[in-house]
Amino acid sequence: MQAPTLRDVAEAAGVHAATASRALNPDTRRLVNAKTARRVLRAAESLGYQPNPIARSLKTAKSRTVGLVIPDLTNPLFPPIVRGIEDVLGPAGYNALIVNTDNDPDREQSRIDSLRSRQAEGLIIATAQLDHPLLAELHRQSVKMVLVNRRTDDIDVPSVAPDDVKGIGLAVKHLVALGHRRIVHLAGPQTTSTGVGRARAFQIAVREHGLDDDPARIVPCDYWTEPQGASALRAVLDSGVEFTAVVAGNDLIALGCYDVFAERGISCPDDVSVVGFNGMPFLDKLQPPLTTVAVPLHQIGLEAARMLLESINEPEQPTRVVLLPPSLVIRGSTAAPRT
Amino acid sequence: MQAPTLRDVAEAAGVHAATASRALNPDTRRLVNAKTARRVLRAAESLGYQPNPIARSLKTAKSRTVGLVIPDLTNPLFPPIVRGIEDVLGPAGYNALIVNTDNDPDREQSRIDSLRSRQAEGLIIATAQLDHPLLAELHRQSVKMVLVNRRTDDIDVPSVAPDDVKGIGLAVKHLVALGHRRIVHLAGPQTTSTGVGRARAFQIAVREHGLDDDPARIVPCDYWTEPQGASALRAVLDSGVEFTAVVAGNDLIALGCYDVFAERGISCPDDVSVVGFNGMPFLDKLQPPLTTVAVPLHQIGLEAARMLLESINEPEQPTRVVLLPPSLVIRGSTAAPRT
DNA sequence: CTGAAAGCGCTAACAA
DNA sequence: TTGTTAGCGCTTTCAG
């Protein structure tokens, strides 16, 4: 039994396919006699008619698909964002095609080509390499896109991201309130917008509180990973820079610190306090539970999807940059410094 | 500038569209003169031609898309499986459309309808409700599908899942070797195949070792979640059943136990040992690090995708049920019982 | 308000 | 080996 087509419905209702099409589509239904429309609807219902979106896409040149470009779905940062995106896309009749780039520019290029050949109507991009020529190229070709969890200064592209300045500010303020004066920042990769943004935010916050802003207190990691966080902390420890607290570029880097604490017999929070960033799940189960700057990931996804749909449906939107407010979740990894 | 079509390429190469089509498709290239083919390829290259998969799909009635039905992408169990699936699908020219059902049967129904109307060629289903009529219905309509991380006895559907009997056996054996004789199982929902499967496996293992197999030692949770794990453990504690070790239905349930330990001042592993199931990330960062039965999630994804592609490309495959071997990861949450 | 006709971009008979 | 023709299922002019 083949799936019924529009012609089958039309035939069953005793009308022409064009009329059936008009009746079935809410936007054009008013062009057709109410009675005829009802007849068509009933016929469609009884045949279990489902329109074929592929045929529709071919005709309308709209795929109702958007591409989601992320580094790695396995990173706990992304699933909540993806959920948010899908929660907006689904009800709007759109689907998301997810691709993982593993932070490999070649792979990213090829995955994006594939999305484009699949006629994705827009792109949500969560990979964060700074000054990737790809981005400029896409922009030049006026591909609709929204950046997520990252920004760019070079070109005029909408983005949705946490307010890093505020988030890092919250972390530093909390530590200062506890009495810390010598704070270190284990920054994310300086090849990512988020990495440099948070490092800059740290510098600002530290100066604001009149603390030592020696650049040696900012140590970048090569990747946003646990092992990189661990080696960055080891480097600081070995460099002899004195400190009583760490602001990590993200939660994974903070987790790396825990490894080093165990390794070197450092007690957290007695010897060193740590604050993470992002608020990934299960941080409250760690020992000590990690104080972190929680980011509204799901909402970032919602907002990004909304912006993309908007720019698809009504082009010539002004480019918006949305910054969502993070909040501090205080747990056991921060305390007053030993006096 | 419009994207070039096949006709443009054909024109540029001075051939008919059909010839260009044959030259461009590796499978039919041998039907065309090598020289002509090269000319077409060059023309395509220089125009930056990308075939339109929508038009192709319409013609061939193949969407090169498969649907991925999962409860919630946010559950750390799924991303590695999804990655595995995509790692197979991508190179094969297929794409995955992911839908979240939130374990709501209505939502599941509607999401699957939407996948089918998008002409998904097959389904990979990771939602685990037992005897869902939907499954039987899909099977009756001979929709190609593969179940993942679950099984079904009623109907003849291929599946890929961890070997629960082996996994639970590993956990029990480990505890017995440590000296435990009174072990409790906090089971998953008995409405899921995995939940009942692991409970049954627990019973088998416990008998094999000649331990007390009182059914009161198996306490089912309503969901695979932390809070449910916590309340199940509270129930056991309050029931007066004596035990020195817990085998949790999955890692989240085990995490729930940690909450109760904190609440009631129970020391793990001194008072009670716990083993989780699945091997989700960051379990090694808990206090104590969680001993768990690690499941090859990525490989489950790979295998499921391979099976689905196979059954799409060569129908009439025998129905295979693949069980992948889990392994025990011993950490700090298990130790000899207090004597 | 409804029907006729054309065509989106591609592929698959069939014919030459 | 190549071209001709037709059509996948739908929408959209244009007439009527």
Side-chain angles (χ1 to χ4, degrees):
Chain A
M1 185 186 90
Q2 264 297 33
T5 75
L6 183 60
R7 295 175 93 89
D8 299 327
V9 175
E11 209 160 310
V15 298
H16 190 249
T19 309
S21 168
R22 289 188 274 252
L24 258 7
N25 187 331
D27 294 342
T28 50
R29 189 167 302 154
R30 41 170 205 79
L31 296 176
V32 56
N33 186 313
K35 273 189 179 127
T36 322
R38 230 171 305 129
R39 198 145 37 85
V40 172
L41 266 320
R42 254 191 295 111
E45 176 81 17
S46 79
L47 289 177
Y49 170 73
Q50 292 284 97
N52 180 333
I54 294 180
R56 176 180 290 158
S57 289
L58 182 57
K59 180 67 190 178
T60 60
K62 283 187 173 350
S63 62
R64 300 236 147 206
T65 295
V66 314
L68 220 67
V69 184
I70 61 178
D72 178 16
L73 190 56
T74 276
N75 181 333
L77 180 63
F78 297 112
I81 297 180
V82 172
R83 272 307 307 253
I85 291 172
E86 293 189 327
D87 288 346
V88 168
L89 253 29
Y94 275 76
N95 274 90
L97 236 33
I98 302 174
V99 303
N100 298 278
T101 67
D102 292 323
N103 283 313
D104 171 349
D106 289 345
R107 201 177 149 94
E108 179 164 7
Q109 178 69 259
S110 85
R111 302 316 318 247
I112 288 185
D113 286 349
S114 134
L115 285 173
R116 299 197 57 197
S117 83
R118 285 194 175 245
Q119 319 296 122
E121 287 181 46
L123 258 28
I124 295 180
I125 300 183
T127 52
Q129 297 310 309
L130 214 50
D131 46 59
H132 197 313
L134 182 52
L135 220 58
E137 176 62 15
L138 290 172
H139 184 245
R140 217 182 44 70
Q141 299 176 17
S142 60
V143 173
K144 314 261 186 237
M145 55 184 169
V146 174
L147 303 185
V148 131
N149 205 33
R150 65 173 284 183
R151 307 174 54 181
T152 179
D153 297 324
D154 321 344
I155 51 177
D156 193 39
V157 184
S159 61
V160 184
D163 186 337
D164 287 336
V165 171
K166 184 171 174 214
I168 293 286
L170 246 30
V172 171
K173 189 173 158 197
H174 166 60
L175 291 171
V176 168
L178 286 171
H180 293 273
R181 306 290 301 164
R182 288 164 307 174
I183 308 176
V184 152
H185 178 46
L186 301 187
Q190 297 301 294
T191 51
T192 67
S193 67
T194 316
V196 316
R198 290 185 192 157
R200 208 175 297 151
F202 178 76
Q203 209 163 31
I204 294 169
V206 145
R207 283 188 191 145
E208 228 164 48
H209 291 283
L211 306 185
D212 174 11
D213 65 345
D214 182 353
R217 296 196 168 279
I218 300 185
V219 181
C221 302
D222 290 341
Y223 302 98
W224 295 102
T225 60
E226 232 182 296
Q228 289 295 319
S231 51
L233 182 58
R234 280 188 211 105
V236 187
L237 250 14
D238 296 340
S239 77
V241 171
E242 302 226 326
F243 64 96
T244 60
V246 172
V247 172
N250 78 349
D251 292 328
L252 295 176
I253 290 175
L255 284 184
C257 295
Y258 279 44
D259 293 342
V260 177
F261 294 156
E263 203 173 284
R264 308 219 175 168
I266 297 169
S267 155
C268 171
D270 295 333
D271 299 325
V272 177
S273 288
V274 182
V275 183
F277 205 108
N278 278 341
M280 53 173 251
F282 310 117
L283 258 21
D284 56 324
K285 291 288 175 306
L286 304 183
Q287 197 56 293
L290 182 66
T291 294
T292 189
V293 177
V295 166
L297 299 172
H298 186 258
Q299 209 194 325
I300 286 182
L302 293 177
E303 200 58 44
R306 276 195 214 110
M307 280 173 60
L308 185 62
L309 288 184
E310 217 170 87
S311 82
I312 287 173
N313 295 325
E314 0 182 326
E316 308 307 330
Q317 288 283 316
T319 301
R320 280 186 298 154
V321 172
V322 174
L323 258 31
L324 262 20
S327 57
L328 187 69
V329 178
I330 300 175
R331 299 205 184 93
S333 67
T334 46
R338 242 193 248 285
T339 45
Chain B
M1 185 187 88
Q2 265 296 31
T5 75
L6 184 60
R7 295 173 95 87
D8 298 328
V9 174
E11 209 161 310
V15 297
H16 191 260
T19 308
S21 168
R22 288 187 276 252
L24 258 7
N25 187 329
D27 294 343
T28 50
R29 189 166 301 153
R30 39 172 207 79
L31 297 176
V32 57
N33 185 313
K35 271 188 181 129
T36 323
R38 229 170 306 131
R39 196 145 38 84
V40 173
L41 266 320
R42 254 191 295 113
E45 175 81 16
S46 80
L47 289 177
Y49 170 73
Q50 292 284 98
N52 180 333
I54 295 180
R56 176 181 290 160
S57 289
L58 182 57
K59 178 66 189 178
T60 60
K62 285 190 174 346
S63 62
R64 300 238 146 205
T65 294
V66 313
L68 221 64
V69 184
I70 62 178
D72 178 16
L73 191 56
T74 275
N75 180 333
L77 181 62
F78 297 113
I81 296 180
V82 172
R83 275 303 312 251
I85 291 172
E86 293 188 327
D87 287 346
V88 167
L89 253 31
Y94 274 76
N95 274 90
L97 236 34
I98 302 174
V99 303
N100 298 278
T101 67
D102 292 324
N103 283 313
D104 172 351
D106 289 346
R107 202 177 148 92
E108 179 164 5
Q109 177 70 259
S110 85
R111 303 315 320 247
I112 288 185
D113 287 348
S114 134
L115 285 174
R116 297 196 57 196
S117 84
R118 285 196 174 244
Q119 318 297 123
E121 288 180 46
L123 258 29
I124 294 181
I125 300 183
T127 53
Q129 297 309 312
L130 215 50
D131 44 59
H132 197 312
L134 182 52
L135 220 58
E137 176 63 14
L138 290 172
H139 184 244
R140 216 181 48 67
Q141 298 176 19
S142 59
V143 173
K144 313 262 184 238
M145 56 184 168
V146 173
L147 304 184
V148 132
N149 206 32
R150 66 174 283 184
R151 307 176 52 181
T152 179
D153 297 324
D154 320 347
I155 50 177
D156 194 39
V157 184
S159 61
V160 184
D163 186 336
D164 287 337
V165 171
K166 184 173 173 211
I168 294 286
L170 246 30
V172 171
K173 188 172 157 196
H174 167 60
L175 292 171
V176 169
L178 286 171
H180 293 273
R181 306 289 301 165
R182 288 163 308 173
I183 308 176
V184 152
H185 177 47
L186 301 186
Q190 297 300 295
T191 52
T192 66
S193 66
T194 317
V196 316
R198 290 184 194 159
R200 207 174 298 152
F202 178 76
Q203 211 164 31
I204 293 170
V206 145
R207 283 189 191 144
E208 228 163 48
H209 291 283
L211 306 183
D212 175 10
D213 66 345
D214 182 354
R217 298 198 167 277
I218 301 186
V219 181
C221 302
D222 289 341
Y223 303 98
W224 295 103
T225 60
E226 230 181 297
Q228 288 296 320
S231 50
L233 182 58
R234 280 188 211 104
V236 186
L237 253 12
D238 296 340
S239 76
V241 171
E242 303 226 324
F243 65 97
T244 59
V246 172
V247 172
N250 77 351
D251 293 328
L252 295 175
I253 290 175
L255 284 183
C257 295
Y258 278 43
D259 293 342
V260 177
F261 294 156
E263 202 174 286
R264 308 218 175 170
I266 295 169
S267 155
C268 171
D270 296 333
D271 299 324
V272 177
S273 289
V274 183
V275 182
F277 204 107
N278 278 341
M280 53 174 252
F282 309 118
L283 258 22
D284 56 325
K285 291 286 175 305
L286 305 181
Q287 197 54 283
L290 182 66
T291 294
T292 190
V293 177
V295 166
L297 299 171
H298 185 260
Q299 208 195 325
I300 285 182
L302 294 177
E303 199 59 42
R306 274 193 215 113
M307 279 172 62
L308 186 61
L309 289 183
E310 216 169 88
S311 82
I312 287 173
N313 295 325
E314 2 183 324
E316 310 306 331
Q317 288 283 316
T319 302
R320 279 186 298 153
V321 172
V322 174
L323 258 31
L324 263 20
S327 57
L328 187 70
V329 179
I330 300 174
R331 299 204 184 93
S333 67
T334 47
R338 242 194 250 283
T339 45

